[in-house]
Amino acid sequence: MDKGKIVSFRHYAERRRRERELSHPTAGRGLAGWLDVYRRIWEQSLDRLSDYLRLVKREREMDDLTVTTPTDEPLIIMTRTFNAPRILVWKVMTEAQHIPHWWGWSKAKTTVEKLDARPGGTWRFAQVMPDGRRIVFLGTYLEMEPHEKLVNTFGMEGMYEDKLIVESHHLEEIDGRTVLTSSSRLDSVADRDAFVATGMEGGARESYNRMDVYLGTLVATN
């Protein structure tokens, strides 16, 4: 074979090897090369995990919702702080034009069909889910102390109509922020536990987070 052709082939083979190494850093490096790749992937994963944990930490700092269920009473007690004055929190809880901006699931459309905010008055909110299902929530206002206390019943058409839940909402203002404490009383601990099992905490958390964001827009424009 022509020696010139052998030299050219060797040059070609060497050039291809270098090209492969440039495009695939592990080529020709065996286990050490793959370990280097896995090390870099692991470091990148840890960086992403750190970013995620920082995001979760920020969300928890923004969302201080606590939910407790006493063992000896059929109660669900939720406490949440809002970065807005009490009078504004009261307004978004009791005035019809504010309700669709925060009440219920964000992916559903909420319509206020009735809201008569006075003792003996009734309320009725309808939500249309993304799949077209329509869920109606309803109740009666039992007590009202403007800006401080609101007591109402809570039910759903087809559910909890014969065992209405009684909700008490207390608002306390501290340094311009509002601490909302809401308690839901059911007929029995078993009923309470069944209600908790529906995932109501997640729904409440989403509503309160939406309320917090909406309050922020109102504070910014006032």
Side-chain angles (χ1 to χ4, degrees):
M1 182 180 290
D2 190 328
K3 291 183 178 180
K5 291 183 178 180
I6 294 175
V7 171
S8 297
F9 178 77
R10 287 176 178 172
H11 287 172
Y12 173 77
E14 178 65 18
R15 179 164 58 84
R16 292 294 297 158
R17 184 184 66 78
R18 291 177 179 176
E19 288 175 351
R20 287 199 305 272
E21 288 184 353
L22 288 174
S23 59
H24 302 284
T26 60
R29 294 169 59 187
L31 179 60
W34 284 113
L35 287 176
D36 182 59
V37 170
Y38 286 135
R39 177 184 58 79
R40 290 200 301 271
I41 293 173
W42 180 247
E43 289 174 349
Q44 292 169 1
S45 297
L46 289 177
D47 289 340
R48 289 195 293 269
L49 177 60
S50 296
D51 291 340
Y52 172 73
L53 291 176
R54 281 194 292 270
L55 176 62
V56 170
K57 182 175 184 292
R58 285 198 299 271
E59 289 180 345
R60 287 179 177 174
E61 288 173 350
M62 294 172 60
D63 172 6
D64 65 349
L65 177 68
T66 61
V67 181
T68 57
T69 52
T71 57
D72 57 346
E73 286 188 273
L75 287 175
I76 304 168
I77 303 171
M78 298 185 291
T79 302
R80 174 65 151 82
T81 303
F82 297 95
N83 192 27
R86 181 170 62 176
I87 187 172
L88 196 55
V89 176
W90 177 267
K91 286 172 68 70
V92 302
M93 292 178 64
T94 59
E95 295 182 4
Q97 68 268 28
H98 300 298
I99 300 298
H101 293 280
W102 67 268
W103 201 90
W105 296 285
S106 59
K107 294 182 179 180
K109 181 179 179 181
T110 301
T111 302
V112 177
E113 297 185 345
K114 188 172 184 180
L115 197 164
D116 185 8
R118 61 181 178 83
T122 59
W123 63 274
R124 180 184 173 92
F125 305 157
Q127 282 207 308
V128 178
M129 308 304 289
D131 62 3
R133 286 181 301 125
R134 188 171 182 271
I135 304 175
V136 176
F137 303 85
L138 46 78
T140 301
Y141 294 106
L142 304 178
E143 299 178 41
M144 297 193 78
E145 296 178 18
H147 313 150
E148 295 184 13
K149 181 181 180 182
L150 174 66
V151 181
N152 60 270
T153 61
F154 173 93
M156 297 170 59
E157 282 190 345
M159 291 181 66
Y160 301 107
E161 289 186 272
D162 57 339
K163 295 184 178 182
L164 286 178
I165 300 166
V166 178
E167 299 180 332
S168 299
H169 311 282
H170 297 264
L171 291 80
E172 180 183 7
E173 184 168 328
I174 302 174
D175 296 329
R177 306 180 75 199
T178 301
V179 178
L180 172 64
T181 302
S182 298
S183 64
S184 301
R185 179 176 289 276
L186 288 87
D187 287 346
S188 66
V189 171
D191 286 344
R192 187 274 312 278
D193 291 345
F195 188 49
V196 170
T198 65
M200 52 76 55
E201 179 181 341
R205 186 180 300 276
E206 183 172 0
S207 286
Y208 284 156
N209 287 345
R210 294 181 65 200
M211 182 197 289
D212 202 33
V213 172
Y214 181 60
L215 285 166
T217 64
L218 297 179
V219 169
T221 56
N222 290 337

